[in-house]
Amino acid sequence: MTDARRLAKSNQEQAVAAWIGHLNQLRLDTLLSGLARQGENLRDALSIIDQAVKKIDLEVVTTNRGGTKGMHGFIAEVAEVGIGNAQRRIAGAEPVYQWVNDNGPVDLLREGVAIQQKFVAAGGRLGLGAITEHLQRYPDYVKNGGRYQIPRDHFDVIRDLHAMTPETAATTLSRSGDGPSLSDWKRVQTFFGSGAVDIDSLEPSHLDYREAQRGAYEETLQSEKDSLKQTDEGRRRDLHDDSRPGLQEGIQATLLSAAVEGGTALVLAVVQKRRDGKKLRAFTADDWVDIAGAAGLGAAKGSVRGLTIYSLTNFTATSSAVASSIVTSAFGMAELANELRRGEIDELQFIENCELFCLDTAVSALSSLIGQTLIPVPVLGAVIGNTIGTVMYQAARTSLSAREMALIAGYARAQRELDESLSADYAQLIDELTASLSDYFEVLERAFSPDVLTAVQGSIELASTVGVKPEDLLDSRAKARRFFLD
């Protein structure tokens, strides 16, 4: 593969890796941004509840507004505004409830809709009597879009009784005792039967009747704060779940990588045949089969690359550039292993080529990482970094390789000359050693001769041969007598 083709292939691989890394970073950025916003939402929601408690304390309870019988109505209004706005804020929406507080026909406003609250339990009419009185004073209230809000527990009872048929009411409702009675059902049917108010003009409050009473609202609003915190935890879990790598995104990354690598392989195959001298119109069926085969192999490699990069970058602490280099190294080493099995290279060449291939891919990964850091533009920074780093590395490696080859050639020449010199010296030493050993064995043979005189003379020669001083040799009768008798 030429340097230009190798560079184009490397750029394509790192571009795919950078794009997958960009997708992963987008998910991470979205998660961090979402968590930051959710933190603000929680702080604002809790603050809204705290403000509602403070307002109730200072403007309702302390001033004894409404007196003993009417205070809970004002408590309900302020609490409704606080809870409604806090629940919207925890979900990231803007507050829409407003406390009118002018003792007029409207207690609350919600996105321009007028709301009149009726927290009334007197008379057992579930607040319907209070609504009737309000309509008598303001007959156009409902026609103008106004709504009535009653305690949540009262609304549940009214809704059930409104939907109940006469037969069901007669058989299931008691005439006295606990729970809704047949009289309650008749009262509800009569109220809505007049046509003045439709069931859709009523809505439940966030509070039950008992939760808006003096002495109970603190616990009610504290429970709401606990509920807001639970909602916050759920939304944070949802953000984490949404940020997790998914099958659909993995498939998209795989298909993208396959398409890009397959397309690159096709273009390079066509370019190679054009460089071989063939024009497009002269391409034969076999040429197109070769091109299609190269494109198909590229697409297969691309799909493996895309899936592997997506998996490594999302399930291990591996950058996209490094993940791509791992895949490229795996493909290259597999190809070299096939060459080794076919006998095209030996084991030493296999090891050396694997080292060089892994070094090439490592340089590509490092260059892409540096380029993406210095040029924080998705994909572009990685491609520029890879191009510059690879070109510089190839130039340096070519220069170093030429120098290394000259050094190796000189070293080999010196080794051959040294080998020739040492061989001659070795041969000479062997000859000298052979001659010395021959004389030594002759002396040794005489020293151990069965003939005593020959053995004595041989021992004297052996001692002299191994370096015994002449004055210490027992080479006369006088020396022998002195040595053994004196």
Side-chain angles (χ1 to χ4, degrees), residues 5 11 83 224 351-352 379 425 462:
R5 285 171 57 86
N11 277 339
I83 293 174
E224 182 60 27
I351 294 174
E352 291 177 345
V379 181
D425 294 342
L462 178 60

Side-chain angles (χ1 to χ4, degrees), residues 147 155 158-159 162 188 192 197-203:
R147 300 178 63 83
F155 180 84
I158 291 173
R159 180 192 56 201
H162 176 265
V188 169
F192 290 107
V197 180
D198 187 82
I199 186 66
D200 293 332
S201 297
L202 270 66
E203 65 177 48

Side-chain angles (χ1 to χ4, degrees), residues 414-427:
Q415 288 299 311
R416 285 195 299 271
E417 293 174 356
L418 179 61
D419 183 61
E420 292 174 358
S421 174
L422 292 177
S423 294
D425 294 342
Y426 175 74

